[in-house]
Amino acid sequence: MTDPWWRDAVVYQVYPRSFADANADGEGDLRGIRARLPYLKDLGVDAVWLSPFYPSPMADSGYDVADYRDVDPRYGTLADFDDLLAAATAADIKVIVDIVPNHCSSAHPWFAEALAAGPGSPERERFIFRDAPNNWQSQFGGPAWTQVADGQWYLHLFDAAQPDWNWRHPDVVALFEETLRFWLDRGVAGFRIDVADMLFKDELLPDTTPPDGVAEQLEWTPAKETPPYKHQKELFPLYRTWREILESYPGDRVMIGEIWLDDQELKREYLAGDGLDQAFNFTFMATPWDAADLRAVIGRSLPLAHAQPWALGNHDVPRAVTRLGIDQALVRNPTAEVLRGEVEVDRALGTRRARAAALLLLALPGSTYIYQGDELGLPEHLTIPDELRQDPMFIRMGGAFIGRDGCRVPMPWAGRRAPYGFADRPVDTWLPQPPDWAELTAEAQQADPGSMLTLYRQALRLRRDHINGAFAWLDTVPDADVLAFTRGEGFACVLNVGEQPVTLPAHLRVLLASEPLDGGVLPPDTAVWLDLAK
Ligand code: NOJ
């Protein structure tokens, strides 16, 4: 049996609202994505993951789904989806879609029915209505319960416009089974499962002790791994059923869970082979630029490496270039001051480190996810005026967290000023682009041998031919600030996280370096791929 395609795949995350805007209304769309497939082909990715494009009031940019089996008119139609899928398939790029099973939108017809039907009705059973709330906090800040006109409260672990489903209700189970089949029938290669660890809540809905604070609400730095709304045992049989559905279709279809969890033993339960295939390695994403920390998280992740895709970013965390350019003590929890641009960000340093980090990531065993724009080295947009911010986290958490809009800014494709080819005419984009992105467009980087885009392209090409053997740490470089490892006999990756140059191990030739090398010496904040050609 050959390995499934996703085991070592490079998957590109498209955030549809901000990728490419074919109809120039200021928001991206499916035809825009289709038109940019040649760019993705040229980049060298194996698959795309599309964040939600389903009908939605956009209270959480599409993670509030009003209809799981259609396309929001702002993004196009189901026919546009089919065209995109066909064109991607023709280009040998697989398509993964996002499934949002923890909650729907308050505009979902079943929620409207539940509100209308009143307390004690079967319609309310599909959600979690109670006469009194417990002390749970929303992941977006504030209480996780909202009271309705007749006095009952409903649970929403995210925004009030995202009521949580009751996963112990057969209608909910059936709704999602049909939804999986709907997209599988259309030809998708798999699903990214939103909030995959929270679908079931402890039936008694016990208070969290101590009550969740802000740290617990910032979902990308979970301080508490096992609150009563996470990792309930019913999840595992559910994902086994989903796996059976996927396996009833030809080829290898993947299920990758969004699970913010460092505990490898618990993670293994999700990845036991008959449930989810993969769950992101978020611990890696939140690791400071420190050799010991990086070595520790990589070491810990290795036994499950192929089941835990590496990533430097996604639409929920500050951009890597910015994260790596700030005081590394703040990486796990960048303050509002950082994300407002009130604290110094060394963008040149962040970019240099992000280049090195890309080579590290792409050399490790397993698959890698690239968030759109990271291949262009986009920084976080730090100066979005408050009145233009869209993220419900900003609204619900205000001072404590500024929100995720800064990494969701529309892509710069070409030209000297906004919208930088995102649309082909002047238009106010749904989030503003910064005035200084002209040098960061795909067009500007295209032919520049020193650009981030060129580095990614070269890396993805070389990865295919050179990086497939077994992983082993290479201890011939004993420097504490250096990470070095081999993949099989002939390939090594060496990363210098420290401030002093280090001597490279013996090699036949340099395949790729994140910065120009000075003879046999590896400068600070630089990674290199070596052909050992034994
Ligand atoms: C995780 C998604 O990635 C994020 O963008 C969203 O806000 C929450 N889940 C709620 O769906």
Side-chain angles (χ1 to χ4, degrees):
M1 230 173 72
T2 55
D3 284 339
W5 65 270
W6 45 261
R7 247 183 132 249
D8 296 289
V10 176
V11 182
Y12 186 93
Q13 181 191 352
V14 170
Y15 194 69
R17 209 173 181 187
S18 294
F19 190 64
D21 179 12
N23 67 356
D25 65 352
E27 297 183 71
D29 43 48
L30 297 182
R31 285 201 296 122
I33 302 170
R34 198 183 66 166
R36 294 292 177 184
L37 285 174
Y39 169 84
L40 297 175
K41 188 69 202 163
D42 197 37
L43 182 58
V45 303
D46 302 299
V48 291
W49 150 33
L50 304 176
S51 277
F53 49 80
Y54 317 113
S56 166
M58 299 282 155
D60 186 20
S61 262
Y63 283 93
D64 47 322
V65 180
D67 180 350
Y68 289 91
R69 298 181 214 145
D70 205 348
V71 172
D72 191 283
R74 80 188 67 221
Y75 296 133
T77 61
L78 270 177
D80 291 332
F81 177 83
D82 291 338
D83 283 351
L84 168 59
L85 191 91
T89 307
D92 204 16
I93 295 175
K94 298 189 160 55
V95 176
I96 295 171
V97 296
D98 213 311
I99 208 91
V100 189
N102 179 68
H103 46 265
C104 58
S105 159
S106 49
H108 193 283
W110 285 4
F111 192 68
E113 285 171 23
L115 287 184
S121 62
E123 288 82 355
R124 284 212 174 169
E125 291 295 313
R126 293 172 175 146
F127 298 91
I128 303 179
F129 278 88
R130 292 290 183 276
D131 293 333
N134 64 10
N135 75 349
W136 294 359
Q137 297 291 300
S138 151
Q139 309 282 299
F140 287 169
W145 297 86
T146 289
Q147 195 169 26
V148 300
D150 53 50
Q152 276 209 310
W153 302 73
Y154 67 91
L155 177 70
H156 53 85
L157 288 177
F158 294 88
D159 193 64
Q162 294 167 295
D164 280 44
W165 290 111
N166 171 13
W167 266 94
R168 296 190 178 91
H169 196 294
D171 288 356
V172 175
V173 175
L175 175 74
F176 282 90
E177 290 185 357
E178 284 158 29
T179 299
L180 295 178
R181 289 206 173 86
F182 178 89
W183 294 106
L184 288 165
D185 286 342
R186 300 193 104 84
V188 304
F191 301 93
R192 176 269 188 188
I193 301 163
D194 190 64
V195 196
D197 51 352
M198 302 198 211
L199 275 46
F200 290 91
K201 287 83 188 169
D202 183 326
E203 261 182 303
L204 300 174
L205 301 179
D207 280 350
T208 54
T209 46
D212 285 348
V214 169
E216 287 76 13
Q217 295 159 10
L218 295 179
E219 61 171 328
W220 73 290
T221 54
K224 196 188 285 173
E225 295 223 314
T226 52
Y229 44 82
K230 283 192 180 174
H231 316 306
Q232 300 296 304
K233 59 182 183 328
E234 292 103 315
L235 280 167
F236 308 112
L238 175 73
Y239 292 138
R240 281 201 283 277
T241 319
W242 287 17
R243 165 124 310 283
E244 281 163 22
I245 295 175
L246 267 67
E247 281 178 1
S248 69
Y249 287 78
D252 293 315
R253 319 273 172 146
V254 68
M255 277 198 293
I256 168 153
E258 186 211 17
I259 300 176
W260 298 77
L261 176 66
D262 190 36
D263 179 335
Q264 297 292 296
E265 282 319 302
L266 187 48
K267 217 160 178 186
R268 200 178 279 279
E269 289 190 46
Y270 285 95
L271 303 168
D274 53 1
L276 300 181
D277 300 293
Q278 296 183 314
F280 291 102
N281 194 334
F282 291 119
T283 313
F284 179 85
M285 208 189 277
T287 300
W289 193 247
D290 174 274
D293 285 348
L294 288 168
R295 205 177 287 116
V297 65
I298 293 169
R300 204 157 67 238
S301 309
L302 282 172
L304 287 175
H306 290 94
Q308 298 191 84
W310 313 97
L312 279 184
N314 65 29
H315 62 293
D316 292 330
V317 303
R319 286 277 188 186
V321 158
T322 303
R323 240 170 43 227
L324 295 172
I326 59 175
D327 174 357
Q328 291 301 284
L330 297 174
V331 154
R332 291 202 173 90
N333 203 346
T335 60
E337 289 73 27
V338 170
L339 297 175
R340 269 185 199 286
E342 291 160 10
V343 167
E344 196 190 342
V345 179
D346 185 337
R347 190 157 127 198
L349 179 66
T351 303
R352 185 180 175 102
R353 288 173 171 172
R355 293 172 62 87
L359 294 198
L360 167 67
L361 229 71
L362 289 164
L364 290 169
S367 61
T368 296
Y369 275 60
I370 300 171
Y371 177 46
Q372 69 177 42
D374 276 357
E375 82 283 12
L376 300 177
L378 298 185
E380 186 82 358
H381 186 353
L382 299 172
T383 53
I384 300 176
D386 283 355
E387 63 277 14
L388 296 181
R389 290 188 180 275
Q390 310 270 337
D391 184 0
M393 280 185 105
F394 170 66
I395 297 156
R396 292 182 65 96
M397 255 189 223
F401 187 64
I402 193 143
R404 304 162 294 177
D405 293 312
C407 67
R408 298 175 174 181
V409 172
M411 284 275 283
W413 292 100
R416 305 291 312 167
R417 64 182 62 86
Y420 302 108
F422 174 66
D424 65 6
R425 320 175 252 255
V427 63
D428 284 336
T429 51
W430 74 283
L431 283 173
Q433 297 161 306
D436 60 349
W437 273 12
E439 303 307 325
L440 292 172
T441 66
E443 180 187 59
Q445 297 193 34
Q446 178 82 13
D448 175 357
S451 73
M452 186 76 91
L453 181 58
T454 300
L455 181 76
Y456 265 88
R457 276 208 198 111
Q458 291 173 330
L460 264 52
R461 272 184 185 68
L462 286 165
R463 173 183 158 99
R464 288 226 163 89
D465 299 332
H466 293 274
I467 313 183
N468 28 48
F471 175 99
W473 291 111
L474 180 66
D475 42 25
T476 53
V477 193
D479 193 299
D481 285 329
V482 171
L483 266 76
F485 55 88
T486 50
R487 297 289 311 273
E489 294 282 287
F491 174 91
C493 174
V494 186
L495 165 67
N496 180 5
V497 181
E499 288 172 8
Q500 300 302 324
V502 293
T503 306
L504 285 172
H507 58 276
L508 189 72
R509 75 190 159 112
V510 171
L511 293 167
L512 188 59
S514 63
E515 301 294 330
L517 298 182
D518 187 8
V521 165
L522 185 64
D525 296 315
T526 303
V528 67
W529 287 0
L530 301 174
D531 182 354
L532 305 179
K534 282 197 188 132

